[in-house]
Structures are given as C-alpha cells and as structure tokens.
Amino acid sequence: MIILVTGGTGYIGSHTVVELIQAGHEVVIVDNLVNSKKSVLDKIKTITGIKPTFYEIDCTDKEALEPVFKAHPFDGVIHFAGLKAVGESVQKPLMYYHNNVLSTIYLSELAIKYKVDRFVFSSSATVYGDQEVPFVETMNLLPTTNPYGETKAMSERILKDAATVNQNFKVSLLRYFNPVGAHESGLIGESPNGIPNNLMPFVSKVAKGELEILSVFGNDYDTPDGTGVRDYIHVVDLAKGHVLAIEKLQDAIEIYNLGTGHGVSVLEIVSAFEKANAVKVPYKIVDRRPGDLPAYWADANKAYEKLGWKAKKTIFDMCKDSWHFEKNYKDE
Ligand code: NAD
Ligand code: WQD
C-alpha cells in the first residue's frame, strides 16, 4: 500500500514508518516539525535503506495538504500529527482544539474526496476517563480532565460519524496506553524538548545526570506500593499494531486498545530501569500530580483476537531501549 503518515517524524510516527517500510509499504510523511526534526528521515534511511518522501506541511492548512493527495494515490492515512502535552493543553485549550481537531477534519475530508478508504487514528486511553479497570473498547467514553483528552474524544466521534455515512471510508481508532522505549538501533526514540512531563523520559534524564532527581507523584494511592500504575507499552510493539490495523481494516469502524494488559507502578519502573541498565535513579516522593488517575491498564484481548496483535516486549526491554537511545542521543 501507499500510506500517508502525518506526524511521521515524531516519536510513534517514526517507529511506525520503519515498520511499514519493513512490511513492504510505501510511505509519504507530512509533518510541520513543531515537535520533531527532519534528521529523523536520515535515521529511518539508516534503519530501512529507504528515505520516505517528506512534506513539511501543517495539517491544519488544507490548501497545502490537497496537492499531496493529488500527487500520490494513497491507499490509507495514519494520522499521528497532533499536540500531546496534557498540561499545555489546559493553558492553551484553543491551540489544542484547533490543531488536533481541525487536522482530523481536513484529513478525513481529503481522504474521502480522493477515495482513500483506510484511516487509522492515534487515540488515547485517556478517552476512557475515570472508570473501572481494565478499560475495554465497549465502554462509554467519559469526560477527560483536560482539553488534550477532549480533542481525542472529539476526533474519534468525527471519524465515526464520517465513516457511518461514507461507504468505503473505514476508520480504525487506536487507543494507546503509555508508549515508552525506542528502536533497538538507538537511532530513533523520544527526545522531548525541555524538562519531560512523562515518566520514562524523565527517568532516562535522571540516570544520565541531566536531571538531578525523579519526583514520584504520590505514594498513597490504593495500589500495591502506593504509586501510580500504568500500562507501559514498547513503541515498536505499538508501531507493529498500526501495520496490522491498516492492513486488516475491514469494518466501517474498528476500535482497539493497544496496551499489554498489565499495570506497572512508578517504583517498579524505577527499579526495572536500574536493574536493566546498571544505573542509579535517585527519587523522592512528592505530592500527587493533579488530574492523575491512580491506576489503569488495557483489556488487550480484542486486538489479539481480531488483528492477531500482542505486545511482546517486556518492561526490561522498554527500560533498556529507552536508555540505549538516551545515551546515544545528540541534539542535532
Ligand atoms: P510527537 O510529538 O513525537 O509526534 C507528533 C508529530 O506531529 C510531531 O512530529 C509534530 O511535529 C507533528 N505535528 C503536530 N501538529 C502538527 C500539525 N498541525 N501538522 C503537521 N504535523 C504536526 O508525539 P507522539 O508521542 O509520537 O504522538 C503521536 C500521536 O499519538 C499524537 O496524536 C498523540 O496525541 C498520540 N498519542 C500519544 C501518546 C504518547 O504517550 N506518546 C499516547 C496516546 C496518544
Ligand atoms: C505515568 C506515571 C505519574 C512523571 C500521559 C497522558 C496520556 C497519554 C500518555 C497521550 C503516573 C508518574 C510521571 C514524573 C511520576 N498521552 N510520574 N513522576 O500521565 O499516565 O499519561 O501520557 O495521550 O494522555 O496523560 O503518563 O508518563 O506522565 O505518568 O511519578 O516525573 O508516572 O504520576 O503515575 P500518564 P506519565
């Protein structure tokens, strides 16, 4: 297939581009580089031998996007492009709604106009809100605690409505849990600008000595060790899930959780990281972070039953690969 990957120079997008190319697909990337670097294209070439066609375009610029659809006979779109910092979305809600929702509307309009009948969307476990765990795809979506989460829920609804009335426009909504880790080559991974918001990049920077100490946000939750529990998933497993989701897309609307099905605590991550990499990660317990849920993980059975997809990599792999990338990473 010929696949348009928006956000393809970003963290999850770049790993998915590698897996798509290795599965024999042709990839065209659109990204405005707001949170990634063009040098990722050379890294993709080093890993796969192929440098994908790249357009530096903002997905909220429909006029600039349309010629890309005219130039390539796409079979599918995988839409990763989006802003993802939860805290920033509270401070700048309109920027988040504009960027994340408008891009979804324009891309689906163009996909329908140019008869591109497969559309895979990056959603998030955050759309489940606060309800019983594990989260199952059949659950209703509950309000999230931030505009970022709302942009994901809105985009899901928009795509579902579009797929309901447009025959041949099929959507796959992929709800990611907590993606971590990096490609085993150490060439691509997550390199957030400034101080990371997420746990694994923060742990990596503490291990490297770039940050002094990890703040563990609360140890008084109702969890085995009192710290928050999440379903961490290796980004390469996640990327492989996208390849299967787009290849096997059949129904008008398909929804899958992409997680391991197991919860792991903050202190378990710290300890696994220290063991996997023979490093020290000093930490201190601080107050809970507002908006955090105590514990959630995926019911990951549906993706296995329908797509034959299962996360294979362990917490050890996630810690090892995150560290390998962090050690190699140079700000280019
Ligand atoms: P990322 O920031 O590394 O990648 C997103 C890419 O999109 C970046 O390269 C950025 O430059 C680009 N982009 C943003 N807005 C754009 C626009 N208007 N036009 C063109 N390009 C634009 O983030 P990621 O972690 O790879 O996330 C990819 C997708 O998955 C996002 O939609 C994110 O919300 C979603 N998601 C991420 C996580 C996570 O924890 N990383 C979890 C659930 C869902
Ligand atoms: C994980 C655990 C923290 C940092 C976020 C988004 C979610 C999704 C994935 C996009 C929690 C604890 C963290 C630190 C800590 N993104 N923690 N010290 O909050 O589960 O999910 O990213 O869709 O929408 O909300 O991920 O990595 O920030 O936190 O103790 O410095 O680590 O409290 O228990 P989160 P996270």
Side-chain angles (χ1 to χ4, degrees):
M1 286 192 275
I2 305 177
I3 299 173
L4 169 62
V5 180
T6 74
T9 45
Y11 173 46
I12 306 170
S14 58
H15 289 83
T16 303
V17 167
V18 165
E19 295 302 320
L20 286 167
I21 292 173
Q22 288 178 340
H25 301 294
E26 187 180 326
V27 173
V28 173
I29 297 178
V30 164
D31 200 300
N32 66 357
L33 302 177
V34 69
N35 197 37
S36 58
K37 298 199 171 79
K38 218 173 165 180
S39 55
V40 167
L41 298 168
D42 296 318
K43 310 281 170 59
I44 292 171
K45 181 162 184 213
T46 306
I47 298 169
T48 65
I50 290 172
K51 190 168 175 175
T53 306
F54 174 73
Y55 294 93
E56 186 175 339
I57 289 176
D58 190 315
C59 294
T60 63
D61 183 349
K62 196 176 177 189
E63 273 181 26
L65 270 180
E66 185 148 8
V68 179
F69 280 80
K70 279 193 181 139
H72 303 272
F74 294 126
D75 298 291
V77 176
I78 307 184
H79 178 32
F80 291 102
L83 298 173
K84 61 162 182 175
V86 170
E88 185 186 50
S89 80
V90 176
Q91 300 305 320
K92 300 178 180 172
L94 295 179
M95 183 170 104
Y96 271 69
Y97 287 115
H98 181 97
N99 194 74
N100 291 4
V101 180
L102 208 53
S103 58
T104 303
I105 294 175
Y106 287 161
L107 283 160
S108 46
E109 283 175 347
L110 288 168
I112 290 164
K113 180 167 174 186
Y114 288 91
K115 303 197 178 348
V116 182
D117 56 8
R118 291 161 196 252
F119 196 105
V120 175
F121 177 65
S122 295
S123 190
S124 168
T126 195
V127 299
Y128 288 109
D130 187 2
Q131 55 189 316
E132 210 181 308
V133 289
F135 295 156
V136 190
E137 291 88 343
T138 47
M139 286 174 162
N140 288 326
L141 303 193
L142 294 187
T144 64
T145 53
N146 57 78
Y148 165 75
E150 292 306 300
T151 68
K152 292 296 168 189
M154 281 180 194
S155 294
E156 283 205 8
R157 292 195 184 100
I158 289 165
L159 291 167
K160 270 190 201 170
D161 289 347
T164 304
V165 293
N166 288 284
Q167 266 194 355
N168 301 328
F169 182 64
K170 295 177 278 191
V171 305
S172 178
L173 308 175
L174 303 181
R175 296 179 181 154
Y176 316 154
F177 281 67
N178 285 56
V180 296
H183 192 264
E184 62 179 5
S185 63
L187 291 171
I188 52 173
E190 189 174 23
S191 47
N193 296 326
I195 297 176
N197 299 308
N198 297 113
L199 180 63
M200 191 65 96
F202 204 110
V203 166
S204 303
K205 291 210 180 289
V206 171
K208 208 176 178 184
E210 282 181 18
L211 294 171
E212 202 181 323
I213 192 163
L214 169 71
S215 292
V216 174
F217 299 140
N219 68 348
D220 55 354
Y221 286 112
D222 184 14
T223 60
D225 64 19
T227 65
V229 165
R230 296 290 183 272
D231 185 341
Y232 297 93
I233 172 168
H234 196 294
V235 66
V236 171
D237 278 331
L238 189 63
K240 290 179 195 290
H242 289 72
V243 178
L244 289 168
I246 199 157
E247 286 177 349
K248 298 199 171 183
L249 186 49
Q250 263 187 339
D251 300 338
I253 301 153
E254 298 185 8
I255 305 177
Y256 298 105
N257 285 341
L258 296 181
T260 65
H262 303 288
V264 174
S265 76
V266 176
L267 291 183
E268 283 173 327
I269 290 284
V270 170
S271 153
F273 198 96
E274 290 185 329
K275 284 202 190 95
N277 300 316
V279 290
K280 282 278 162 225
V281 180
Y283 69 86
K284 61 178 178 194
I285 307 292
V286 301
D287 286 346
R288 292 178 178 193
R289 182 171 64 178
D292 271 353
L293 293 175
Y296 62 85
W297 57 91
D299 178 325
N301 290 317
K302 187 177 170 197
Y304 183 59
E305 282 157 18
K306 302 264 183 188
L307 301 176
W309 175 87
K310 203 174 175 58
K312 295 200 176 111
K313 292 186 183 273
T314 62
I315 289 289
F316 186 87
D317 299 325
M318 300 178 209
C319 292
K320 202 165 54 65
D321 293 338
S322 293
W323 180 233
H324 184 206
F325 173 73
E326 185 63 39
K327 270 192 309 184
N328 280 347
Y329 180 70
K330 286 183 209 71
D331 202 2
E332 289 161 352

